[in-house]
Amino acid sequence: MPAVVLDRCGHRNYPLSLGRVTGDGLLQCGYHGWTFDGGGWCLRVPGLRHGRTQATWHVPSHATVEKDGFVWAWGEPDAEPTRPPFALPVVDGPGAGETVFRCDLDATLRASLENALDVPHTAFLHRGLFRGGAPRTITAIRRPIDGGVEVQYLGEPVGMGPIRLPEDSGRTFDHWDRFLLPSIAQIEYAVNGWFRIVNTILQLPIAPFRTRAWFVVRFSSRLPAPLVRAAVHQQGRRILRQDADALARQTERIRSFDGERYASTELDLLGTAIWRLLRQAERAEQPDGEDLPLATVSEREVVFEA
């Protein structure tokens, strides 16, 4: 059974993550050996006679559940969850498969989320791998959804990089980008009858300027699943390396100039919405935050070229 406790021993504040799991499934601090169970209660203090402990020796713990190959932790310590964890989408049918990879990004959570869902940068940073070639007119429609926001793209040509189907083919991508609180980005592409691919990016801030991201890519296709999996993994890794480098350079500038200073246009459909929703969620965690009005994301339509 997985367990999550605060990474701070109640004795001398040593990181419990630097300790070890004992043979009987307890967590032992690497400094003085205080040993805790999954609920955060201290069961053993080496050196104390008769194994004496006190109920007050406790570190906060977080409820956990295993689902879709991940351990999910409830954010509020010492509390019962009020809802199940996020459900990864089911992608089944012919040629269905999955690939998962992880990356630590030198970026704030907000910057990492926006980068994952930012369409305009792909024609420049990823030119030749993703978009590129002669621009086409695309309509983007932003809508609020339960717990977040999504953008649907209409008229996007089918293709990768400069290779696209001809305009008279009658086929375009079905494309959606979504942000879901607290920190999930999702990108979905499909061509009816040909393929469907959903990249769900689970993101966890591990420091003010460092975010850990798991990319869970599920797909179905007319092609054999092993072939698609290999292509997705190779191309996904190349795109991720470019994004990771760009985010690191962005973070370097932000820190050297003592903070962010952004300018946005109507093309930044999801970036501004993500910021508003994250700020509202952060304020709601404050002692007087329960009565604050919920942040709203308006529906908007933008026509652009990509």
Side-chain angles (χ1 to χ4, degrees):
M1 177 68 180
V4 173
V5 298
L6 186 70
D7 192 17
R8 183 178 67 194
C9 182
H11 179 219
R12 288 295 183 267
N13 290 198
Y14 192 75
L16 287 173
S17 58
L18 299 180
R20 70 180 187 94
V21 177
T22 64
D24 52 354
L26 301 177
L27 178 60
Q28 186 177 73
C29 179
Y31 195 8
H32 295 89
W34 283 35
T35 306
F36 301 86
D37 66 11
W41 297 104
C42 180
L43 301 187
R44 290 197 291 267
V45 177
L48 281 184
R49 297 186 64 185
H50 311 299
R52 181 174 61 86
T53 61
Q54 292 183 10
T56 54
W57 296 342
H58 172 261
V59 293
S61 66
H62 298 261
T64 61
V65 63
E66 288 186 85
K67 185 177 180 181
D68 293 319
F70 291 89
V71 175
W72 301 81
W74 186 247
E76 185 178 353
D78 301 320
E80 287 298 318
T82 59
R83 63 180 184 273
F86 175 80
L88 287 168
V90 175
V91 180
D92 51 18
E98 175 187 278
T99 184
V100 180
F101 44 95
R102 193 192 87 176
C103 182
D104 285 357
L105 301 167
D106 292 320
T108 64
L109 176 64
R110 176 199 174 188
S112 177
L113 287 164
E114 181 178 16
N115 168 266
L117 300 174
D118 177 46
V119 167
H121 87 275
T122 59
F124 295 90
L125 187 63
H126 308 309
R127 182 179 295 275
L129 289 176
F130 202 55
R131 290 183 174 83
R136 288 270 295 273
T137 299
I138 299 173
T139 299
I141 302 174
R142 185 181 72 186
R143 304 183 185 93
I145 58 176
D146 186 24
V149 59
E150 75 171 9
V151 174
Q152 181 182 10
Y153 298 89
L154 305 175
E156 187 172 354
V158 177
M160 291 292 292
I163 304 173
R164 305 187 184 188
L165 290 182
E167 293 191 31
D168 58 2
S169 68
R171 292 187 179 273
T172 58
F173 275 132
D174 296 320
H175 174 193
W176 294 266
D177 287 347
R178 304 180 183 98
F179 165 68
L180 297 153
L181 287 167
S183 55
I184 295 171
Q186 190 174 77
I187 304 154
E188 179 174 356
Y189 280 93
V191 177
N192 187 32
W194 285 22
F195 77 92
R196 180 184 177 215
I197 183 168
V198 184
N199 181 13
T200 304
I201 309 169
L202 314 174
Q203 307 202 32
L204 176 69
I206 55 178
F209 289 95
R210 195 160 180 82
T211 300
R212 180 164 294 165
W214 290 265
F215 298 78
V216 185
V217 185
R218 293 181 170 180
F219 56 85
S220 63
S221 164
R222 291 183 177 182
L223 298 174
L227 179 64
V228 176
R229 184 181 297 110
V232 167
H233 196 81
Q234 181 186 38
Q235 291 295 90
R237 284 288 186 187
R238 292 178 66 187
I239 291 171
L240 179 56
R241 283 195 295 269
Q242 293 175 341
D243 279 332
D245 182 69
L247 285 168
R249 302 289 80 75
Q250 178 186 20
T251 296
E252 181 185 12
R253 289 297 86 192
I254 288 171
R255 300 186 75 169
S256 66
F257 283 99
D258 296 323
E260 300 170 342
R261 186 174 180 179
Y262 287 170
S264 297
T265 73
E266 64 272 14
L267 296 180
D268 299 297
L269 279 170
L270 280 168
T272 53
I274 289 169
W275 176 241
R276 187 176 299 114
L277 290 168
L278 285 176
R279 286 292 299 273
Q280 193 275 334
E282 181 182 2
R283 291 175 61 201
E285 292 294 323
Q286 303 305 312
D288 59 346
E290 293 184 1
D291 298 327
L292 292 173
L294 294 176
T296 58
V297 176
S298 61
E299 184 167 327
R300 181 180 297 178
E301 180 174 318
V302 174
V303 178
F304 66 102
E305 292 185 345

